Amino acid sequence: MSKIIFLDVDGVLNTNSDRMTGRSDVLKPKLLEQFGKIVAATKAKIVLSSSWRFHPQLCQVLSSALVQVAKVPEKDIIAMTGEARDGD
């Protein structure tokens, strides 16, 4: 059975204080490292469910950080969720 983590970035890999400064794109290395440990321990695949999926530049920043800092194999980042619906 495959394990999948639906990843929402804001509040998970960055913090509310980042949003107060207007820099929601700032990823915290310590949080990335912890996330990487979870992925490794569970052998889970990652599906991006964050609003970051609508911004190609942020997707690139995230993918690079997951591979380089969290040490997540690129092949384990498998998909993004679909389009947001009205009210989401």
Coordinates of all heavy atoms in Angstrom, one line a residue:
M1 N 0.8 -1.2 0.0 CA 0.0 0.0 0.0 C 0.9 1.2 0.0 O 1.8 1.4 0.8 CB -0.9 0.0 1.2 CG -1.8 1.2 1.3 SD -2.8 1.5 2.8 CE -3.6 0.0 2.9
S2 N 0.6 2.2 -0.9 CA 1.4 3.4 -1.0 C 0.9 4.4 0.1 O -0.3 4.5 0.3 CB 1.2 4.0 -2.4 OG 1.8 3.2 -3.3
K3 N 1.8 5.1 0.6 CA 1.5 6.2 1.5 C 1.7 7.5 0.8 O 2.7 7.7 0.1 CB 2.4 6.1 2.8 CG 2.2 4.9 3.5 CD 3.2 4.8 4.7 CE 3.0 3.4 5.4 NZ 4.2 2.7 5.6
I4 N 0.8 8.4 1.0 CA 0.8 9.7 0.3 C 0.7 10.8 1.4 O -0.2 10.8 2.2 CB -0.3 9.8 -0.8 CG1 0.0 8.8 -1.8 CG2 -0.3 11.2 -1.4 CD1 -1.1 8.7 -2.9
I5 N 1.5 11.8 1.3 CA 1.4 13.0 2.1 C 0.9 14.1 1.2 O 1.5 14.4 0.1 CB 2.7 13.4 2.7 CG1 3.2 12.4 3.6 CG2 2.6 14.8 3.4 CD1 4.7 12.6 4.1
F6 N -0.3 14.7 1.5 CA -0.8 15.9 0.8 C -0.2 17.1 1.5 O -0.6 17.4 2.6 CB -2.3 15.9 0.8 CG -2.9 14.8 -0.1 CD1 -3.1 13.5 0.4 CD2 -3.2 15.1 -1.4 CE1 -3.6 12.6 -0.4 CE2 -3.7 14.1 -2.2 CZ -3.9 12.9 -1.7
L7 N 0.7 17.8 0.8 CA 1.5 18.8 1.4 C 1.0 20.2 1.2 O 0.8 20.6 0.0 CB 3.0 18.8 0.9 CG 3.9 19.8 1.4 CD1 4.1 19.8 2.9 CD2 5.3 19.7 0.7
D8 N 0.6 20.9 2.3 CA 0.3 22.3 2.2 C 1.5 23.0 2.8 O 1.9 22.7 3.9 CB -1.0 22.6 3.1 CG -1.4 24.0 3.1 OD1 -0.9 24.8 2.2 OD2 -2.3 24.4 3.9
V9 N 2.1 23.9 2.1 CA 3.3 24.6 2.5 C 3.2 25.6 3.6 O 3.9 25.5 4.6 CB 4.0 25.2 1.3 CG1 5.3 25.9 1.7 CG2 4.3 24.2 0.2
D10 N 2.2 26.5 3.5 CA 2.1 27.6 4.5 C 1.7 27.1 5.8 O 0.7 26.4 5.9 CB 1.1 28.7 4.0 CG 1.7 29.4 2.7 OD1 2.9 29.6 2.7 OD2 0.9 29.7 1.8
G11 N 2.5 27.4 6.8 CA 2.3 26.9 8.2 C 2.9 25.5 8.4 O 2.8 25.1 9.6
V12 N 3.4 24.9 7.4 CA 4.0 23.6 7.6 C 5.5 23.7 7.3 O 6.3 23.3 8.2 CB 3.4 22.5 6.6 CG1 4.1 21.2 6.7 CG2 1.9 22.4 6.8
L13 N 5.9 24.3 6.2 CA 7.3 24.5 5.9 C 7.8 25.9 6.1 O 9.0 26.3 5.8 CB 7.6 24.0 4.5 CG 7.4 22.5 4.3 CD1 7.6 22.1 2.9 CD2 8.2 21.6 5.3
N14 N 6.9 26.8 6.4 CA 7.2 28.2 6.8 C 6.3 28.5 8.0 O 5.6 27.7 8.4 CB 7.1 29.2 5.6 CG 5.7 29.3 5.0 OD1 4.7 28.8 5.6 ND2 5.6 29.8 3.9
T15 N 6.4 29.7 8.5 CA 5.6 30.1 9.7 C 4.7 31.3 9.5 O 4.9 32.0 8.5 CB 6.6 30.3 10.8 OG1 7.3 31.5 10.6 CG2 7.5 29.1 11.1
N16 N 3.8 31.5 10.4 CA 3.0 32.7 10.3 C 3.7 34.0 10.4 O 3.4 34.9 9.8 CB 1.9 32.7 11.5 CG 0.9 31.6 11.2 OD1 0.6 31.3 10.1 ND2 0.3 31.2 12.3
S17 N 4.9 34.0 11.1 CA 5.7 35.2 11.1 C 6.2 35.6 9.8 O 6.4 36.7 9.5 CB 6.8 35.0 12.1 OG 7.7 34.0 11.7
D18 N 6.4 34.6 8.9 CA 6.9 34.9 7.5 C 5.8 35.6 6.8 O 6.0 36.5 6.0 CB 7.2 33.6 6.8 CG 8.3 32.8 7.4 OD1 9.2 33.4 7.9 OD2 8.2 31.6 7.4
R19 N 4.5 35.2 7.0 CA 3.4 35.9 6.3 C 3.3 37.3 6.8 O 2.9 38.2 6.1 CB 2.1 35.1 6.6 CG 2.0 33.9 5.7 CD 0.7 33.3 5.7 NE 0.9 32.0 6.3 CZ -0.1 31.3 6.9 NH1 -1.3 31.8 6.9 NH2 0.1 30.2 7.4
M20 N 3.6 37.6 8.1 CA 3.5 38.9 8.6 C 4.5 39.9 8.0 O 4.3 41.0 7.8 CB 3.8 38.9 10.2 CG 2.9 38.0 10.9 SD 1.6 38.6 12.0 CE 2.2 40.1 12.7
T21 N 5.6 39.3 7.5 CA 6.6 40.1 6.8 C 6.4 40.2 5.3 O 7.1 40.8 4.6 CB 8.0 39.6 7.0 OG1 8.1 38.3 6.4 CG2 8.4 39.5 8.5
G22 N 5.3 39.5 4.9 CA 5.0 39.4 3.4 C 5.9 38.4 2.7 O 5.8 38.4 1.4
R23 N 6.6 37.6 3.3 CA 7.5 36.6 2.6 C 7.0 35.2 2.9 O 7.6 34.4 3.5 CB 8.9 36.8 3.2 CG 9.6 38.0 2.8 CD 10.0 38.2 1.4 NE 10.5 37.0 0.7 CZ 11.8 36.7 0.6 NH1 12.7 37.5 1.1 NH2 12.2 35.6 0.0
S24 N 5.8 34.9 2.3 CA 5.3 33.5 2.5 C 6.1 32.5 1.7 O 5.9 31.3 1.9 CB 3.8 33.4 2.1 OG 3.7 33.7 0.7
D25 N 7.0 32.9 0.9 CA 7.8 32.0 0.1 C 9.1 31.6 0.8 O 9.9 30.8 0.3 CB 8.2 32.6 -1.3 CG 9.1 33.9 -1.1 OD1 8.9 34.6 -0.1 OD2 9.9 34.2 -2.0
V26 N 9.3 32.0 2.1 CA 10.5 31.7 2.8 C 10.3 30.3 3.5 O 9.4 30.1 4.3 CB 10.8 32.7 3.9 CG1 12.0 32.3 4.7 CG2 11.0 34.1 3.3
L27 N 11.1 29.3 3.0 CA 11.0 28.0 3.6 C 12.0 27.9 4.7 O 13.2 28.3 4.6 CB 11.2 26.9 2.5 CG 10.2 27.0 1.4 CD1 10.6 26.0 0.3 CD2 8.8 26.6 1.9
K28 N 11.6 27.3 5.8 CA 12.5 27.1 7.0 C 13.3 25.8 6.9 O 12.7 24.7 6.8 CB 11.7 27.1 8.3 CG 10.9 28.4 8.5 CD 11.8 29.5 8.8 CE 11.0 30.7 9.2 NZ 11.8 31.9 9.4
P29 N 14.6 25.9 6.8 CA 15.5 24.7 6.7 C 15.2 23.6 7.8 O 15.1 22.5 7.5 CB 16.9 25.2 6.8 CG 16.8 26.6 6.3 CD 15.5 27.1 6.8
K30 N 15.0 24.0 9.0 CA 14.7 23.1 10.1 C 13.4 22.3 9.8 O 13.3 21.1 10.1 CB 14.6 23.8 11.5 CG 16.0 24.1 12.0 CD 16.6 22.8 12.5 CE 17.9 23.2 13.3 NZ 18.7 22.0 13.6
L31 N 12.4 23.1 9.4 CA 11.1 22.4 9.1 C 11.2 21.5 7.9 O 10.6 20.4 7.9 CB 10.0 23.5 8.8 CG 9.7 24.4 10.0 CD1 8.7 25.5 9.6 CD2 9.2 23.6 11.2
L32 N 12.0 21.9 6.9 CA 12.2 21.0 5.7 C 13.0 19.8 6.1 O 12.6 18.7 5.7 CB 13.1 21.8 4.7 CG 12.3 22.8 3.8 CD1 13.3 23.8 3.2 CD2 11.6 22.0 2.7
E33 N 13.9 19.9 7.0 CA 14.7 18.7 7.5 C 13.8 17.8 8.2 O 13.8 16.5 8.0 CB 15.8 19.1 8.4 CG 16.9 19.8 7.6 CD 18.0 20.5 8.5 OE1 17.9 20.4 9.7 OE2 18.8 21.2 7.9
Q34 N 12.9 18.3 9.1 CA 11.9 17.5 9.8 C 11.0 16.8 8.9 O 10.7 15.6 9.0 CB 11.2 18.3 10.9 CG 12.0 18.7 12.0 CD 12.6 17.6 12.8 OE1 11.9 16.6 13.1 NE2 13.9 17.7 13.2
F35 N 10.5 17.5 7.9 CA 9.6 16.9 6.9 C 10.3 15.8 6.1 O 9.7 14.7 5.9 CB 9.1 18.0 5.9 CG 8.1 17.5 4.9 CD1 6.9 17.1 5.3 CD2 8.5 17.3 3.6 CE1 6.0 16.6 4.3 CE2 7.6 16.8 2.6 CZ 6.4 16.4 3.0
G36 N 11.6 16.0 5.8 CA 12.3 15.0 5.1 C 12.4 13.7 5.9 O 12.4 12.6 5.4
K37 N 12.6 13.9 7.2 CA 12.7 12.7 8.1 C 11.4 11.9 8.1 O 11.3 10.7 8.1 CB 13.0 13.1 9.5 CG 14.5 13.6 9.7 CD 14.8 14.1 11.1 CE 16.2 14.7 11.1 NZ 16.5 15.2 12.5
I38 N 10.3 12.7 8.1 CA 8.9 12.0 8.1 C 8.8 11.2 6.8 O 8.3 10.1 6.8 CB 7.8 13.1 8.2 CG1 7.8 13.6 9.6 CG2 6.4 12.5 7.9 CD1 7.0 14.9 9.8
V39 N 9.1 11.9 5.7 CA 9.0 11.2 4.3 C 9.9 9.9 4.3 O 9.4 8.9 3.9 CB 9.4 12.2 3.2 CG1 9.5 11.4 1.9 CG2 8.4 13.3 3.1
A40 N 11.1 10.1 4.8 CA 12.0 8.9 4.8 C 11.5 7.8 5.7 O 11.5 6.6 5.3 CB 13.4 9.3 5.3
A41 N 11.0 8.1 6.9 CA 10.5 7.1 7.8 C 9.3 6.4 7.3 O 9.1 5.2 7.6 CB 10.3 7.8 9.2
T42 N 8.4 7.1 6.6 CA 7.2 6.5 6.1 C 7.2 6.0 4.7 O 6.3 5.3 4.3 CB 6.0 7.6 6.2 OG1 6.4 8.7 5.4 CG2 5.8 8.1 7.6
K43 N 8.3 6.4 4.0 CA 8.5 6.0 2.6 C 7.2 6.5 1.8 O 6.8 5.8 0.9 CB 8.7 4.5 2.4 CG 9.9 4.0 3.0 CD 10.1 2.5 2.8 CE 11.4 2.0 3.3 NZ 11.7 2.0 4.6
A44 N 6.8 7.7 2.1 CA 5.6 8.3 1.5 C 6.0 9.0 0.2 O 7.1 9.5 0.1 CB 4.9 9.2 2.5
K45 N 5.0 9.2 -0.6 CA 5.1 10.0 -1.8 C 4.4 11.3 -1.5 O 3.6 11.4 -0.5 CB 4.4 9.4 -3.0 CG 4.8 8.0 -3.3 CD 6.2 7.9 -3.8 CE 6.6 6.5 -4.2 NZ 8.0 6.3 -4.2
I46 N 4.8 12.4 -2.2 CA 4.2 13.7 -1.9 C 3.4 14.2 -3.0 O 3.7 14.2 -4.2 CB 5.4 14.7 -1.7 CG1 6.3 14.2 -0.5 CG2 4.9 16.1 -1.4 CD1 7.6 14.9 -0.4
V47 N 2.2 14.7 -2.7 CA 1.3 15.4 -3.6 C 1.1 16.9 -3.0 O 0.8 17.1 -1.9 CB -0.1 14.7 -3.6 CG1 -1.1 15.6 -4.5 CG2 0.1 13.3 -4.2
L48 N 1.5 17.8 -3.9 CA 1.4 19.2 -3.5 C -0.1 19.7 -3.5 O -0.7 19.7 -4.5 CB 2.2 20.1 -4.4 CG 2.3 21.6 -4.0 CD1 2.9 21.8 -2.6 CD2 3.1 22.3 -5.1
S49 N -0.6 20.1 -2.3 CA -2.0 20.5 -2.3 C -2.1 22.0 -1.9 O -3.2 22.5 -1.7 CB -2.8 19.7 -1.3 OG -2.3 19.8 0.0
S50 N -1.0 22.6 -1.8 CA -0.8 24.0 -1.4 C -1.2 25.0 -2.5 O -1.2 24.6 -3.7 CB 0.6 24.3 -1.0 OG 0.8 25.6 -0.7
S51 N -1.6 26.2 -2.1 CA -1.8 27.2 -3.1 C -0.6 27.5 -3.9 O -0.6 28.1 -5.0 CB -2.4 28.5 -2.5 OG -1.4 29.0 -1.6
W52 N 0.6 27.1 -3.4 CA 1.8 27.2 -4.2 C 1.8 26.5 -5.5 O 2.5 26.9 -6.4 CB 3.0 26.6 -3.4 CG 3.5 27.5 -2.2 CD1 2.7 28.2 -1.3 CD2 4.8 27.7 -1.8 NE1 3.5 28.8 -0.4 CE2 4.8 28.5 -0.7 CE3 6.0 27.3 -2.3 CZ2 5.9 29.0 -0.1 CZ3 7.2 27.7 -1.7 CH2 7.1 28.5 -0.6
R53 N 0.9 25.6 -5.7 CA 0.8 24.8 -7.0 C 0.4 25.7 -8.1 O 0.6 25.4 -9.3 CB -0.1 23.6 -6.8 CG -1.6 24.0 -6.7 CD -2.4 22.7 -6.3 NE -3.8 22.9 -6.4 CZ -4.5 23.4 -5.4 NH1 -3.9 23.8 -4.2 NH2 -5.8 23.6 -5.5
F54 N -0.2 26.9 -7.8 CA -0.7 27.8 -8.9 C 0.5 28.8 -9.3 O 0.2 29.6 -10.2 CB -1.9 28.6 -8.4 CG -3.0 27.8 -8.1 CD1 -3.5 27.7 -6.8 CD2 -3.7 27.0 -9.0 CE1 -4.6 26.9 -6.5 CE2 -4.8 26.2 -8.8 CZ -5.2 26.1 -7.5
H55 N 1.6 28.7 -8.7 CA 2.7 29.6 -9.0 C 4.0 28.8 -9.4 O 4.7 28.2 -8.5 CB 3.0 30.4 -7.8 CG 1.8 31.2 -7.3 ND1 1.4 32.3 -7.9 CD2 1.0 30.9 -6.3 CE1 0.3 32.7 -7.2 NE2 0.0 31.8 -6.2
P56 N 4.3 28.6 -10.7 CA 5.4 27.8 -11.2 C 6.7 28.2 -10.5 O 7.5 27.3 -10.2 CB 5.4 28.1 -12.7 CG 4.0 28.5 -13.0 CD 3.5 29.2 -11.8
Q57 N 7.0 29.4 -10.2 CA 8.2 29.8 -9.6 C 8.3 29.3 -8.2 O 9.3 28.7 -7.7 CB 8.4 31.3 -9.6 CG 9.7 31.8 -9.0 CD 9.9 33.3 -9.1 OE1 9.0 34.0 -9.5 NE2 11.1 33.7 -8.7
L58 N 7.2 29.3 -7.4 CA 7.2 28.8 -6.1 C 7.3 27.3 -6.1 O 7.9 26.7 -5.2 CB 5.9 29.2 -5.3 CG 5.8 30.7 -5.0 CD1 4.5 31.0 -4.3 CD2 7.0 31.1 -4.1
C59 N 6.7 26.6 -7.1 CA 6.8 25.2 -7.2 C 8.3 24.8 -7.4 O 8.7 23.8 -6.9 CB 6.0 24.6 -8.4 SG 4.2 24.6 -8.1
Q60 N 9.0 25.6 -8.2 CA 10.4 25.3 -8.4 C 11.2 25.5 -7.2 O 12.1 24.6 -6.8 CB 11.0 26.2 -9.6 CG 12.4 25.9 -9.9 CD 12.6 24.5 -10.3 OE1 11.9 23.9 -11.1 NE2 13.7 23.8 -9.8
V61 N 10.9 26.5 -6.4 CA 11.6 26.8 -5.2 C 11.4 25.6 -4.2 O 12.3 25.1 -3.6 CB 11.1 28.1 -4.5 CG1 11.6 28.2 -3.1 CG2 11.6 29.3 -5.3
L62 N 10.1 25.2 -4.1 CA 9.7 24.1 -3.2 C 10.4 22.8 -3.6 O 11.0 22.1 -2.8 CB 8.2 23.9 -3.2 CG 7.7 22.8 -2.4 CD1 8.1 22.9 -0.9 CD2 6.2 22.6 -2.5
S63 N 10.3 22.5 -4.9 CA 10.9 21.2 -5.4 C 12.4 21.2 -5.1 O 12.9 20.2 -4.6 CB 10.7 21.0 -6.9 OG 9.3 20.9 -7.2
S64 N 13.1 22.3 -5.4 CA 14.5 22.3 -5.1 C 14.8 22.2 -3.6 O 15.7 21.4 -3.2 CB 15.1 23.7 -5.6 OG 15.0 23.7 -7.0
A65 N 14.0 22.8 -2.8 CA 14.2 22.7 -1.3 C 13.9 21.3 -0.8 O 14.7 20.8 0.1 CB 13.4 23.7 -0.6
L66 N 12.9 20.7 -1.3 CA 12.6 19.3 -0.9 C 13.7 18.4 -1.2 O 14.1 17.5 -0.4 CB 11.3 18.8 -1.5 CG 10.0 19.5 -1.0 CD1 8.8 19.1 -1.8 CD2 9.8 19.1 0.5
V67 N 14.3 18.5 -2.4 CA 15.4 17.6 -2.8 C 16.7 18.0 -2.1 O 17.4 17.1 -1.6 CB 15.5 17.7 -4.4 CG1 16.8 17.0 -4.8 CG2 14.3 17.1 -5.1
Q68 N 17.0 19.2 -2.1 CA 18.4 19.6 -1.6 C 18.4 19.7 0.0 O 19.4 19.3 0.6 CB 18.8 21.0 -2.1 CG 19.0 20.9 -3.6 CD 19.3 22.3 -4.3 OE1 19.4 23.3 -3.6 NE2 19.3 22.3 -5.6
V69 N 17.4 20.2 0.6 CA 17.4 20.4 2.0 C 16.8 19.2 2.8 O 17.3 18.7 3.7 CB 16.8 21.8 2.5 CG1 16.8 21.9 4.0 CG2 17.4 22.9 1.7
A70 N 15.6 18.9 2.3 CA 14.8 17.8 3.0 C 15.3 16.4 2.6 O 15.0 15.4 3.2 CB 13.3 17.9 2.7
K71 N 16.1 16.4 1.5 CA 16.7 15.1 1.0 C 15.6 14.1 0.5 O 15.7 12.9 0.7 CB 17.6 14.4 2.0 CG 18.7 15.3 2.6 CD 19.6 15.8 1.5 CE 20.8 16.6 2.1 NZ 21.4 17.5 1.2
V72 N 14.5 14.7 0.0 CA 13.5 13.9 -0.6 C 13.8 13.5 -2.0 O 14.2 14.4 -2.8 CB 12.1 14.7 -0.6 CG1 11.0 13.9 -1.3 CG2 11.7 14.9 0.9
P73 N 13.8 12.3 -2.4 CA 14.1 11.9 -3.8 C 13.1 12.6 -4.7 O 11.9 12.6 -4.5 CB 14.0 10.4 -3.8 CG 14.1 10.0 -2.4 CD 13.6 11.1 -1.6
E74 N 13.6 13.2 -5.8 CA 12.7 13.9 -6.7 C 11.6 13.0 -7.2 O 10.4 13.5 -7.4 CB 13.5 14.4 -7.9 CG 12.8 15.4 -8.8 CD 13.7 16.1 -9.8 OE1 14.9 15.9 -9.8 OE2 13.1 16.9 -10.6
K75 N 11.8 11.7 -7.4 CA 10.8 10.8 -7.9 C 9.7 10.6 -6.9 O 8.6 10.1 -7.3 CB 11.4 9.4 -8.2 CG 11.9 8.7 -7.0 CD 12.5 7.3 -7.4 CE 13.0 6.6 -6.2 NZ 12.1 6.4 -5.0
D76 N 9.9 11.0 -5.7 CA 8.8 10.9 -4.7 C 7.8 12.1 -4.6 O 6.9 12.1 -3.9 CB 9.4 10.7 -3.3 CG 10.1 9.3 -3.1 OD1 9.8 8.4 -4.0 OD2 10.8 9.1 -2.2
I77 N 8.1 13.1 -5.4 CA 7.2 14.2 -5.5 C 6.4 13.9 -6.8 O 6.9 14.1 -7.9 CB 8.0 15.6 -5.7 CG1 8.9 15.8 -4.5 CG2 7.0 16.7 -5.8 CD1 10.0 16.9 -4.8
I78 N 5.2 13.4 -6.6 CA 4.5 12.7 -7.7 C 3.4 13.5 -8.4 O 3.0 13.2 -9.5 CB 3.9 11.4 -7.2 CG1 2.9 11.5 -6.1 CG2 5.1 10.4 -6.9 CD1 2.2 10.2 -5.8
A79 N 2.8 14.5 -7.7 CA 1.6 15.2 -8.3 C 1.2 16.5 -7.5 O 1.8 16.8 -6.5 CB 0.4 14.3 -8.4
M80 N 0.2 17.1 -8.1 CA -0.4 18.3 -7.5 C -1.9 18.0 -7.5 O -2.4 17.3 -8.4 CB -0.1 19.6 -8.2 CG 1.3 20.0 -8.1 SD 1.5 21.6 -8.9 CE 2.0 21.1 -10.5
T81 N -2.6 18.5 -6.5 CA -4.1 18.4 -6.5 C -4.6 19.3 -7.7 O -4.0 20.1 -8.2 CB -4.7 18.8 -5.2 OG1 -4.3 20.1 -4.8 CG2 -4.3 17.8 -4.1
G82 N -5.9 19.1 -8.0 CA -6.6 19.8 -9.0 C -6.9 21.2 -8.8 O -6.4 21.8 -7.8
E83 N -7.6 21.8 -9.6 CA -8.0 23.2 -9.6 C -8.8 23.5 -8.3 O -9.6 22.7 -7.9 CB -8.8 23.6 -10.8 CG -8.0 23.5 -12.1 CD -6.9 24.5 -12.2 OE1 -7.1 25.7 -11.8 OE2 -5.8 24.1 -12.7
A84 N -8.6 24.7 -7.8 CA -9.4 25.1 -6.6 C -10.8 25.4 -7.1 O -11.1 25.9 -8.2 CB -8.8 26.4 -6.0
R85 N -11.8 25.1 -6.2 CA -13.2 25.4 -6.5 C -13.6 26.7 -5.9 O -12.9 27.2 -5.0 CB -14.1 24.3 -6.0 CG -13.8 23.0 -6.7 CD -14.5 21.9 -5.9 NE -13.8 21.7 -4.7 CZ -14.1 20.8 -3.8 NH1 -15.1 20.1 -3.8 NH2 -13.3 20.7 -2.7
D86 N -14.6 27.3 -6.3 CA -15.1 28.6 -5.7 C -15.3 28.3 -4.2 O -15.9 27.3 -3.8 CB -16.4 29.1 -6.4 CG -16.2 29.6 -7.8 OD1 -15.1 29.9 -8.1 OD2 -17.2 29.6 -8.5
G87 N -14.8 29.3 -3.4 CA -15.0 29.2 -2.0 C -13.9 28.4 -1.3 O -13.8 28.4 -0.1
D88 N -13.0 27.9 -2.1 CA -11.8 27.1 -1.5 C -10.6 28.1 -1.3 O -10.5 29.0 -1.9 CB -11.4 26.0 -2.3 CG -12.4 24.8 -2.3 OD1 -13.3 24.9 -1.4 OD2 -12.2 23.9 -3.1

